[in-house]
Amino acid sequence: MTKFEKSAIIAELISDDFEMTGEAMPLQTDAVEFNKRSLAELDDVLDEIIETNPEWMARLEQIMEAGK
């Protein structure tokens, strides 16, 4: 079994005049496709849960009504 030890993590502070550089993430990347697939899979799982558990559906309806 692995033994874990506690240790302090010291974060380096960035000065106020530090220039942040980088590029915007293009829309066509693996991450975007992964997120789309993940959300679709999550939707399927939620549908399964709702169909097999009527209490979940009732609770979701209460939440939607309260949000109106």
Short mmCIF file of all heavy atoms in Angstrom, two decimals:
data_model
loop_
_atom_site.label_atom_id
_atom_site.label_comp_id
_atom_site.label_asym_id
_atom_site.label_seq_id
_atom_site.Cartn_x
_atom_site.Cartn_y
_atom_site.Cartn_z
N MET A 1 0.85 -1.17 0.00
CA MET A 1 0.00 0.00 0.00
C MET A 1 0.89 1.24 0.00
O MET A 1 1.90 1.29 0.69
CB MET A 1 -0.91 -0.03 1.22
CG MET A 1 -1.83 1.16 1.31
SD MET A 1 -2.90 1.06 2.73
CE MET A 1 -4.44 0.90 1.89
N THR A 2 0.49 2.24 -0.73
CA THR A 2 1.26 3.48 -0.83
C THR A 2 1.03 4.32 0.41
O THR A 2 -0.09 4.47 0.87
CB THR A 2 0.83 4.28 -2.07
OG1 THR A 2 0.97 3.45 -3.21
CG2 THR A 2 1.68 5.52 -2.23
N LYS A 3 2.11 4.87 0.91
CA LYS A 3 1.99 5.75 2.07
C LYS A 3 2.13 7.19 1.60
O LYS A 3 3.09 7.54 0.92
CB LYS A 3 3.09 5.44 3.09
CG LYS A 3 2.97 6.26 4.35
CD LYS A 3 4.02 5.86 5.35
CE LYS A 3 3.88 6.74 6.57
NZ LYS A 3 4.87 6.43 7.58
N PHE A 4 1.15 8.01 1.96
CA PHE A 4 1.17 9.41 1.57
C PHE A 4 1.64 10.26 2.73
O PHE A 4 1.31 9.98 3.88
CB PHE A 4 -0.23 9.87 1.13
CG PHE A 4 -0.69 9.20 -0.13
CD1 PHE A 4 -1.52 8.09 -0.07
CD2 PHE A 4 -0.29 9.66 -1.36
CE1 PHE A 4 -1.94 7.46 -1.22
CE2 PHE A 4 -0.70 9.05 -2.51
CZ PHE A 4 -1.53 7.94 -2.45
N GLU A 5 2.40 11.28 2.43
CA GLU A 5 2.88 12.19 3.46
C GLU A 5 2.35 13.58 3.20
O GLU A 5 2.24 14.01 2.06
CB GLU A 5 4.42 12.23 3.46
CG GLU A 5 5.06 10.91 3.82
CD GLU A 5 6.57 10.99 3.79
OE1 GLU A 5 7.12 12.10 3.74
OE2 GLU A 5 7.21 9.93 3.80
N LYS A 6 2.02 14.26 4.29
CA LYS A 6 1.56 15.65 4.16
C LYS A 6 2.78 16.53 3.92
O LYS A 6 3.83 16.31 4.50
CB LYS A 6 0.85 16.11 5.42
CG LYS A 6 -0.48 15.48 5.63
CD LYS A 6 -1.15 16.08 6.84
CE LYS A 6 -2.52 15.47 7.06
NZ LYS A 6 -3.20 16.05 8.21
N SER A 7 2.61 17.52 3.07
CA SER A 7 3.68 18.48 2.85
C SER A 7 3.06 19.82 2.49
O SER A 7 1.94 19.89 1.99
CB SER A 7 4.61 18.02 1.73
OG SER A 7 3.92 17.93 0.52
N ALA A 8 3.78 20.86 2.77
CA ALA A 8 3.30 22.21 2.46
C ALA A 8 3.56 22.50 0.99
O ALA A 8 4.59 22.16 0.44
CB ALA A 8 4.00 23.22 3.34
N ILE A 9 2.58 23.14 0.37
CA ILE A 9 2.73 23.56 -1.02
C ILE A 9 2.89 25.07 -1.02
O ILE A 9 2.03 25.79 -0.52
CB ILE A 9 1.52 23.15 -1.87
CG1 ILE A 9 1.39 21.63 -1.88
CG2 ILE A 9 1.63 23.71 -3.28
CD1 ILE A 9 0.15 21.13 -2.58
N ILE A 10 3.98 25.54 -1.56
CA ILE A 10 4.26 26.97 -1.59
C ILE A 10 4.07 27.46 -3.02
O ILE A 10 4.79 27.05 -3.92
CB ILE A 10 5.69 27.27 -1.09
CG1 ILE A 10 5.85 26.74 0.34
CG2 ILE A 10 5.99 28.75 -1.18
CD1 ILE A 10 7.26 26.78 0.86
N ALA A 11 3.08 28.30 -3.19
CA ALA A 11 2.79 28.83 -4.53
C ALA A 11 3.62 30.08 -4.76
O ALA A 11 3.80 30.89 -3.87
CB ALA A 11 1.31 29.16 -4.65
N GLU A 12 4.13 30.20 -5.97
CA GLU A 12 4.88 31.40 -6.32
C GLU A 12 3.89 32.50 -6.70
O GLU A 12 2.94 32.27 -7.44
CB GLU A 12 5.81 31.12 -7.50
CG GLU A 12 6.92 30.15 -7.17
CD GLU A 12 7.83 29.94 -8.36
OE1 GLU A 12 8.05 30.91 -9.11
OE2 GLU A 12 8.31 28.83 -8.53
N LEU A 13 4.11 33.68 -6.19
CA LEU A 13 3.24 34.80 -6.52
C LEU A 13 3.72 35.46 -7.81
O LEU A 13 4.92 35.57 -8.05
CB LEU A 13 3.24 35.82 -5.39
CG LEU A 13 2.69 35.31 -4.06
CD1 LEU A 13 2.81 36.40 -3.00
CD2 LEU A 13 1.25 34.89 -4.20
N ILE A 14 2.80 35.88 -8.62
CA ILE A 14 3.13 36.56 -9.87
C ILE A 14 2.95 38.05 -9.62
O ILE A 14 1.95 38.49 -9.06
CB ILE A 14 2.20 36.09 -11.00
CG1 ILE A 14 2.41 34.60 -11.24
CG2 ILE A 14 2.46 36.87 -12.27
CD1 ILE A 14 1.47 34.01 -12.26
N SER A 15 3.90 38.82 -10.07
CA SER A 15 3.83 40.26 -9.86
C SER A 15 2.69 40.86 -10.68
O SER A 15 2.21 40.27 -11.64
CB SER A 15 5.15 40.93 -10.25
OG SER A 15 5.36 40.80 -11.63
N ASP A 16 2.27 42.06 -10.29
CA ASP A 16 1.16 42.73 -10.97
C ASP A 16 1.46 43.07 -12.42
O ASP A 16 0.55 43.18 -13.24
CB ASP A 16 0.79 44.02 -10.23
CG ASP A 16 0.15 43.73 -8.89
OD1 ASP A 16 -0.36 42.62 -8.70
OD2 ASP A 16 0.16 44.63 -8.04
N ASP A 17 2.73 43.22 -12.76
CA ASP A 17 3.06 43.61 -14.13
C ASP A 17 3.48 42.41 -15.00
O ASP A 17 4.02 42.57 -16.07
CB ASP A 17 4.15 44.69 -14.14
CG ASP A 17 5.44 44.20 -13.49
OD1 ASP A 17 5.43 43.15 -12.83
OD2 ASP A 17 6.46 44.89 -13.63
N PHE A 18 3.22 41.19 -14.53
CA PHE A 18 3.55 39.99 -15.30
C PHE A 18 2.65 39.91 -16.52
O PHE A 18 1.42 40.01 -16.42
CB PHE A 18 3.36 38.74 -14.43
CG PHE A 18 3.77 37.47 -15.13
CD1 PHE A 18 5.09 37.10 -15.20
CD2 PHE A 18 2.82 36.66 -15.71
CE1 PHE A 18 5.47 35.92 -15.83
CE2 PHE A 18 3.18 35.49 -16.34
CZ PHE A 18 4.51 35.12 -16.40
N GLU A 19 3.25 39.78 -17.69
CA GLU A 19 2.47 39.73 -18.92
C GLU A 19 2.02 38.31 -19.20
O GLU A 19 2.81 37.39 -19.31
CB GLU A 19 3.32 40.23 -20.10
CG GLU A 19 2.54 40.29 -21.38
CD GLU A 19 3.38 40.80 -22.55
OE1 GLU A 19 4.44 41.38 -22.32
OE2 GLU A 19 2.94 40.60 -23.69
N MET A 20 0.71 38.14 -19.25
CA MET A 20 0.15 36.82 -19.53
C MET A 20 0.10 36.65 -21.04
O MET A 20 -0.46 37.49 -21.75
CB MET A 20 -1.27 36.71 -18.95
CG MET A 20 -1.33 36.91 -17.45
SD MET A 20 -0.46 35.65 -16.51
CE MET A 20 -1.58 34.30 -16.63
N THR A 21 0.68 35.60 -21.53
CA THR A 21 0.67 35.35 -22.97
C THR A 21 0.04 33.99 -23.23
O THR A 21 0.06 33.11 -22.40
CB THR A 21 2.09 35.36 -23.55
OG1 THR A 21 2.86 34.37 -22.87
CG2 THR A 21 2.74 36.71 -23.38
N GLY A 22 -0.52 33.83 -24.37
CA GLY A 22 -1.13 32.56 -24.74
C GLY A 22 -1.98 32.74 -25.96
O GLY A 22 -2.10 33.83 -26.52
N GLU A 23 -2.56 31.65 -26.38
CA GLU A 23 -3.41 31.68 -27.56
C GLU A 23 -4.78 31.14 -27.20
O GLU A 23 -4.91 30.28 -26.34
CB GLU A 23 -2.82 30.80 -28.66
CG GLU A 23 -1.49 31.30 -29.19
CD GLU A 23 -0.91 30.37 -30.25
OE1 GLU A 23 -1.66 29.54 -30.77
OE2 GLU A 23 0.27 30.49 -30.53
N ALA A 24 -5.79 31.66 -27.85
CA ALA A 24 -7.14 31.14 -27.64
C ALA A 24 -7.20 29.72 -28.19
O ALA A 24 -6.55 29.39 -29.19
CB ALA A 24 -8.15 32.02 -28.35
N MET A 25 -7.96 28.89 -27.54
CA MET A 25 -8.09 27.51 -27.97
C MET A 25 -8.95 27.46 -29.23
O MET A 25 -10.07 27.98 -29.23
CB MET A 25 -8.74 26.70 -26.87
CG MET A 25 -8.79 25.24 -27.12
SD MET A 25 -9.34 24.47 -25.59
CE MET A 25 -9.86 22.93 -26.18
N PRO A 26 -8.44 26.88 -30.29
CA PRO A 26 -9.24 26.79 -31.51
C PRO A 26 -10.48 25.92 -31.28
O PRO A 26 -10.50 25.06 -30.41
CB PRO A 26 -8.30 26.14 -32.52
CG PRO A 26 -7.11 25.69 -31.79
CD PRO A 26 -7.14 26.27 -30.42
N LEU A 27 -11.53 26.17 -32.05
CA LEU A 27 -12.77 25.43 -31.85
C LEU A 27 -12.66 23.97 -32.26
O LEU A 27 -13.40 23.13 -31.76
CB LEU A 27 -13.91 26.10 -32.63
CG LEU A 27 -14.31 27.48 -32.12
CD1 LEU A 27 -15.39 28.07 -33.01
CD2 LEU A 27 -14.81 27.40 -30.69
N GLN A 28 -11.77 23.67 -33.16
CA GLN A 28 -11.63 22.29 -33.61
C GLN A 28 -10.45 21.62 -32.94
O GLN A 28 -9.35 21.56 -33.47
CB GLN A 28 -11.47 22.24 -35.14
CG GLN A 28 -12.62 22.85 -35.90
CD GLN A 28 -13.95 22.15 -35.60
OE1 GLN A 28 -14.01 20.96 -35.42
NE2 GLN A 28 -15.01 22.94 -35.53
N THR A 29 -10.66 21.12 -31.75
CA THR A 29 -9.61 20.39 -31.05
C THR A 29 -10.18 19.12 -30.47
O THR A 29 -11.39 18.93 -30.40
CB THR A 29 -9.02 21.23 -29.89
OG1 THR A 29 -10.05 21.43 -28.92
CG2 THR A 29 -8.47 22.55 -30.35
N ASP A 30 -9.31 18.24 -30.01
CA ASP A 30 -9.75 17.01 -29.37
C ASP A 30 -10.55 17.31 -28.11
O ASP A 30 -11.49 16.60 -27.78
CB ASP A 30 -8.55 16.13 -29.02
CG ASP A 30 -7.87 15.59 -30.26
OD1 ASP A 30 -8.51 15.57 -31.33
OD2 ASP A 30 -6.71 15.17 -30.16
N ALA A 31 -10.18 18.36 -27.39
CA ALA A 31 -10.86 18.69 -26.13
C ALA A 31 -12.31 19.04 -26.39
O ALA A 31 -13.20 18.64 -25.64
CB ALA A 31 -10.15 19.85 -25.43
N VAL A 32 -12.57 19.78 -27.46
CA VAL A 32 -13.95 20.17 -27.78
C VAL A 32 -14.76 18.92 -28.12
O VAL A 32 -15.88 18.74 -27.65
CB VAL A 32 -13.98 21.20 -28.92
CG1 VAL A 32 -15.40 21.46 -29.38
CG2 VAL A 32 -13.32 22.49 -28.49
N GLU A 33 -14.19 18.05 -28.92
CA GLU A 33 -14.89 16.82 -29.29
C GLU A 33 -15.12 15.95 -28.06
O GLU A 33 -16.18 15.36 -27.88
CB GLU A 33 -14.11 16.04 -30.35
CG GLU A 33 -14.13 16.70 -31.71
CD GLU A 33 -15.53 16.95 -32.22
OE1 GLU A 33 -16.38 16.04 -32.13
OE2 GLU A 33 -15.80 18.06 -32.69
N PHE A 34 -14.14 15.87 -27.19
CA PHE A 34 -14.27 15.09 -25.96
C PHE A 34 -15.40 15.64 -25.11
O PHE A 34 -16.22 14.89 -24.58
CB PHE A 34 -12.96 15.11 -25.18
CG PHE A 34 -13.04 14.38 -23.87
CD1 PHE A 34 -12.98 13.00 -23.83
CD2 PHE A 34 -13.18 15.08 -22.68
CE1 PHE A 34 -13.06 12.33 -22.63
CE2 PHE A 34 -13.25 14.42 -21.47
CZ PHE A 34 -13.20 13.03 -21.44
N ASN A 35 -15.46 16.97 -24.97
CA ASN A 35 -16.52 17.58 -24.16
C ASN A 35 -17.90 17.31 -24.75
O ASN A 35 -18.84 17.06 -24.02
CB ASN A 35 -16.28 19.08 -24.01
CG ASN A 35 -15.13 19.38 -23.08
OD1 ASN A 35 -14.78 18.57 -22.24
ND2 ASN A 35 -14.55 20.54 -23.25
N LYS A 36 -18.01 17.38 -26.06
CA LYS A 36 -19.30 17.11 -26.70
C LYS A 36 -19.73 15.68 -26.42
O LYS A 36 -20.87 15.42 -26.08
CB LYS A 36 -19.21 17.34 -28.20
CG LYS A 36 -19.18 18.78 -28.61
CD LYS A 36 -19.09 18.89 -30.12
CE LYS A 36 -18.93 20.32 -30.56
NZ LYS A 36 -18.75 20.41 -32.01
N ARG A 37 -18.80 14.75 -26.55
CA ARG A 37 -19.12 13.34 -26.32
C ARG A 37 -19.45 13.12 -24.86
O ARG A 37 -20.40 12.43 -24.52
CB ARG A 37 -17.96 12.45 -26.76
CG ARG A 37 -18.30 10.97 -26.66
CD ARG A 37 -17.21 10.06 -27.17
NE ARG A 37 -16.05 10.16 -26.31
CZ ARG A 37 -14.85 10.55 -26.70
NH1 ARG A 37 -14.65 10.92 -27.94
NH2 ARG A 37 -13.85 10.60 -25.86
N SER A 38 -18.70 13.74 -23.98
CA SER A 38 -18.93 13.57 -22.55
C SER A 38 -20.30 14.07 -22.16
O SER A 38 -21.00 13.44 -21.36
CB SER A 38 -17.87 14.30 -21.74
OG SER A 38 -16.60 13.77 -22.00
N LEU A 39 -20.71 15.22 -22.68
CA LEU A 39 -22.02 15.76 -22.36
C LEU A 39 -23.13 14.87 -22.90
O LEU A 39 -24.16 14.68 -22.25
CB LEU A 39 -22.16 17.19 -22.89
CG LEU A 39 -21.32 18.24 -22.16
CD1 LEU A 39 -21.44 19.58 -22.86
CD2 LEU A 39 -21.73 18.34 -20.71
N ALA A 40 -22.92 14.31 -24.07
CA ALA A 40 -23.92 13.41 -24.64
C ALA A 40 -24.04 12.16 -23.78
O ALA A 40 -25.15 11.68 -23.52
CB ALA A 40 -23.55 13.03 -26.07
N GLU A 41 -22.91 11.63 -23.33
CA GLU A 41 -22.94 10.45 -22.46
C GLU A 41 -23.60 10.78 -21.13
O GLU A 41 -24.37 9.97 -20.60
CB GLU A 41 -21.53 9.91 -22.25
CG GLU A 41 -20.94 9.29 -23.49
CD GLU A 41 -19.46 9.00 -23.37
OE1 GLU A 41 -18.85 9.29 -22.33
OE2 GLU A 41 -18.91 8.46 -24.34
N LEU A 42 -23.32 11.94 -20.59
CA LEU A 42 -23.93 12.37 -19.34
C LEU A 42 -25.45 12.48 -19.50
O LEU A 42 -26.22 12.04 -18.64
CB LEU A 42 -23.36 13.72 -18.90
CG LEU A 42 -23.97 14.33 -17.64
CD1 LEU A 42 -23.75 13.43 -16.44
CD2 LEU A 42 -23.38 15.71 -17.38
N ASP A 43 -25.88 13.01 -20.63
CA ASP A 43 -27.31 13.13 -20.91
C ASP A 43 -27.97 11.75 -20.93
O ASP A 43 -29.05 11.55 -20.37
CB ASP A 43 -27.52 13.85 -22.24
CG ASP A 43 -28.96 14.22 -22.47
OD1 ASP A 43 -29.63 14.66 -21.51
OD2 ASP A 43 -29.42 14.05 -23.61
N ASP A 44 -27.30 10.78 -21.56
CA ASP A 44 -27.84 9.41 -21.61
C ASP A 44 -27.96 8.81 -20.21
O ASP A 44 -28.96 8.18 -19.87
CB ASP A 44 -26.97 8.51 -22.48
CG ASP A 44 -27.04 8.88 -23.95
OD1 ASP A 44 -28.00 9.58 -24.35
OD2 ASP A 44 -26.13 8.47 -24.70
N VAL A 45 -26.94 9.01 -19.39
CA VAL A 45 -26.96 8.46 -18.03
C VAL A 45 -28.07 9.11 -17.21
O VAL A 45 -28.80 8.43 -16.49
CB VAL A 45 -25.58 8.66 -17.34
CG1 VAL A 45 -25.65 8.33 -15.87
CG2 VAL A 45 -24.53 7.81 -18.03
N LEU A 46 -28.21 10.43 -17.34
CA LEU A 46 -29.28 11.12 -16.61
C LEU A 46 -30.66 10.62 -17.06
O LEU A 46 -31.55 10.44 -16.23
CB LEU A 46 -29.17 12.62 -16.79
CG LEU A 46 -28.02 13.29 -16.05
CD1 LEU A 46 -27.91 14.75 -16.43
CD2 LEU A 46 -28.17 13.13 -14.56
N ASP A 47 -30.83 10.41 -18.35
CA ASP A 47 -32.10 9.88 -18.84
C ASP A 47 -32.39 8.51 -18.23
O ASP A 47 -33.52 8.23 -17.83
CB ASP A 47 -32.09 9.77 -20.37
CG ASP A 47 -32.22 11.12 -21.04
OD1 ASP A 47 -32.60 12.10 -20.36
OD2 ASP A 47 -31.91 11.20 -22.25
N GLU A 48 -31.36 7.66 -18.14
CA GLU A 48 -31.53 6.33 -17.54
C GLU A 48 -31.95 6.44 -16.08
O GLU A 48 -32.86 5.74 -15.63
CB GLU A 48 -30.20 5.56 -17.60
CG GLU A 48 -30.12 4.56 -18.70
CD GLU A 48 -28.79 3.84 -18.67
OE1 GLU A 48 -28.40 3.30 -17.62
OE2 GLU A 48 -28.13 3.84 -19.71
N ILE A 49 -31.29 7.32 -15.33
CA ILE A 49 -31.60 7.49 -13.92
C ILE A 49 -33.03 7.96 -13.73
O ILE A 49 -33.77 7.45 -12.90
CB ILE A 49 -30.61 8.47 -13.25
CG1 ILE A 49 -29.22 7.85 -13.18
CG2 ILE A 49 -31.09 8.87 -11.86
CD1 ILE A 49 -28.13 8.81 -12.73
N ILE A 50 -33.43 8.94 -14.54
CA ILE A 50 -34.77 9.51 -14.43
C ILE A 50 -35.83 8.46 -14.76
O ILE A 50 -36.85 8.36 -14.09
CB ILE A 50 -34.90 10.76 -15.32
CG1 ILE A 50 -34.04 11.88 -14.74
CG2 ILE A 50 -36.36 11.19 -15.45
CD1 ILE A 50 -33.89 13.07 -15.65
N GLU A 51 -35.57 7.66 -15.80
CA GLU A 51 -36.54 6.64 -16.20
C GLU A 51 -36.69 5.54 -15.14
O GLU A 51 -37.78 5.02 -14.94
CB GLU A 51 -36.13 6.01 -17.53
CG GLU A 51 -36.30 6.94 -18.71
CD GLU A 51 -35.71 6.37 -19.99
OE1 GLU A 51 -35.26 5.20 -20.00
OE2 GLU A 51 -35.70 7.10 -20.98
N THR A 52 -35.60 5.19 -14.47
CA THR A 52 -35.66 4.10 -13.50
C THR A 52 -36.03 4.57 -12.10
O THR A 52 -36.31 3.75 -11.24
CB THR A 52 -34.30 3.36 -13.43
OG1 THR A 52 -33.28 4.29 -13.06
CG2 THR A 52 -33.97 2.71 -14.75
N ASN A 53 -36.04 5.88 -11.85
CA ASN A 53 -36.33 6.38 -10.52
C ASN A 53 -37.31 7.55 -10.62
O ASN A 53 -36.92 8.69 -10.83
CB ASN A 53 -35.03 6.83 -9.84
CG ASN A 53 -35.22 7.12 -8.38
OD1 ASN A 53 -36.33 7.34 -7.92
ND2 ASN A 53 -34.12 7.13 -7.65
N PRO A 54 -38.60 7.29 -10.41
CA PRO A 54 -39.60 8.34 -10.53
C PRO A 54 -39.42 9.48 -9.52
O PRO A 54 -39.85 10.60 -9.76
CB PRO A 54 -40.93 7.63 -10.31
CG PRO A 54 -40.64 6.21 -10.02
CD PRO A 54 -39.18 5.99 -10.12
N GLU A 55 -38.77 9.20 -8.40
CA GLU A 55 -38.52 10.25 -7.40
C GLU A 55 -37.63 11.34 -7.98
O GLU A 55 -37.80 12.52 -7.69
CB GLU A 55 -37.89 9.66 -6.15
CG GLU A 55 -38.82 8.76 -5.36
CD GLU A 55 -38.11 8.06 -4.21
OE1 GLU A 55 -36.96 8.42 -3.90
OE2 GLU A 55 -38.72 7.15 -3.64
N TRP A 56 -36.66 10.95 -8.82
CA TRP A 56 -35.77 11.93 -9.46
C TRP A 56 -36.58 12.84 -10.37
O TRP A 56 -36.36 14.05 -10.41
CB TRP A 56 -34.68 11.22 -10.27
CG TRP A 56 -33.47 10.90 -9.47
CD1 TRP A 56 -33.27 9.81 -8.70
CD2 TRP A 56 -32.30 11.70 -9.33
NE1 TRP A 56 -32.04 9.87 -8.12
CE2 TRP A 56 -31.42 11.02 -8.48
CE3 TRP A 56 -31.91 12.93 -9.88
CZ2 TRP A 56 -30.17 11.52 -8.16
CZ3 TRP A 56 -30.66 13.42 -9.55
CH2 TRP A 56 -29.81 12.72 -8.69
N MET A 57 -37.49 12.25 -11.13
CA MET A 57 -38.29 13.05 -12.05
C MET A 57 -39.15 14.03 -11.28
O MET A 57 -39.25 15.20 -11.66
CB MET A 57 -39.16 12.13 -12.92
CG MET A 57 -39.88 12.85 -14.01
SD MET A 57 -38.68 13.64 -15.12
CE MET A 57 -39.76 14.63 -16.10
N ALA A 58 -39.75 13.58 -10.19
CA ALA A 58 -40.58 14.47 -9.38
C ALA A 58 -39.74 15.61 -8.82
O ALA A 58 -40.16 16.77 -8.82
CB ALA A 58 -41.23 13.68 -8.25
N ARG A 59 -38.54 15.31 -8.37
CA ARG A 59 -37.65 16.34 -7.82
C ARG A 59 -37.25 17.34 -8.91
O ARG A 59 -37.22 18.55 -8.67
CB ARG A 59 -36.41 15.67 -7.21
CG ARG A 59 -35.41 16.62 -6.64
CD ARG A 59 -35.94 17.29 -5.38
NE ARG A 59 -34.95 18.22 -4.88
CZ ARG A 59 -35.21 19.47 -4.55
NH1 ARG A 59 -36.42 19.94 -4.61
NH2 ARG A 59 -34.25 20.26 -4.12
N LEU A 60 -36.94 16.85 -10.10
CA LEU A 60 -36.58 17.75 -11.21
C LEU A 60 -37.74 18.66 -11.57
O LEU A 60 -37.55 19.85 -11.85
CB LEU A 60 -36.15 16.95 -12.43
CG LEU A 60 -34.75 16.34 -12.37
CD1 LEU A 60 -34.52 15.45 -13.58
CD2 LEU A 60 -33.69 17.41 -12.30
N GLU A 61 -38.96 18.14 -11.54
CA GLU A 61 -40.13 18.96 -11.83
C GLU A 61 -40.30 20.05 -10.78
O GLU A 61 -40.63 21.20 -11.10
CB GLU A 61 -41.38 18.08 -11.92
CG GLU A 61 -41.41 17.25 -13.18
CD GLU A 61 -42.57 16.26 -13.22
OE1 GLU A 61 -43.30 16.13 -12.21
OE2 GLU A 61 -42.75 15.61 -14.26
N GLN A 62 -40.04 19.71 -9.51
CA GLN A 62 -40.11 20.71 -8.44
C GLN A 62 -39.08 21.81 -8.65
O GLN A 62 -39.38 22.99 -8.50
CB GLN A 62 -39.87 20.06 -7.08
CG GLN A 62 -41.00 19.18 -6.60
CD GLN A 62 -40.65 18.48 -5.30
OE1 GLN A 62 -39.50 18.51 -4.85
NE2 GLN A 62 -41.65 17.86 -4.68
N ILE A 63 -37.88 21.42 -9.04
CA ILE A 63 -36.81 22.39 -9.27
C ILE A 63 -37.17 23.32 -10.43
O ILE A 63 -36.99 24.54 -10.36
CB ILE A 63 -35.46 21.68 -9.53
CG1 ILE A 63 -34.98 20.99 -8.25
CG2 ILE A 63 -34.40 22.65 -10.06
CD1 ILE A 63 -33.82 20.05 -8.44
N MET A 64 -37.71 22.74 -11.51
CA MET A 64 -38.08 23.55 -12.67
C MET A 64 -39.22 24.51 -12.32
O MET A 64 -39.21 25.67 -12.74
CB MET A 64 -38.46 22.66 -13.85
CG MET A 64 -37.26 21.94 -14.44
SD MET A 64 -37.58 21.02 -15.96
CE MET A 64 -38.79 19.83 -15.46
N GLU A 65 -40.19 24.06 -11.55
CA GLU A 65 -41.30 24.92 -11.15
C GLU A 65 -40.81 26.05 -10.23
O GLU A 65 -41.26 27.19 -10.35
CB GLU A 65 -42.39 24.11 -10.45
CG GLU A 65 -43.21 23.26 -11.39
CD GLU A 65 -43.96 24.08 -12.41
OE1 GLU A 65 -44.54 25.12 -12.06
OE2 GLU A 65 -43.95 23.67 -13.59
N ALA A 66 -39.89 25.73 -9.34
CA ALA A 66 -39.37 26.74 -8.42
C ALA A 66 -38.56 27.81 -9.17
O ALA A 66 -38.48 28.94 -8.73
CB ALA A 66 -38.50 26.07 -7.35
N GLY A 67 -37.98 27.42 -10.30
CA GLY A 67 -37.17 28.35 -11.08
C GLY A 67 -37.98 29.30 -11.95
O GLY A 67 -37.44 30.23 -12.52
N LYS A 68 -39.29 29.08 -12.03
CA LYS A 68 -40.13 29.94 -12.89
C LYS A 68 -40.48 31.23 -12.20
O LYS A 68 -40.56 31.42 -11.09
CB LYS A 68 -41.42 29.21 -13.29
CG LYS A 68 -41.14 28.09 -14.27
CD LYS A 68 -42.44 27.45 -14.69
CE LYS A 68 -42.19 26.36 -15.72
NZ LYS A 68 -43.41 25.72 -16.12
#
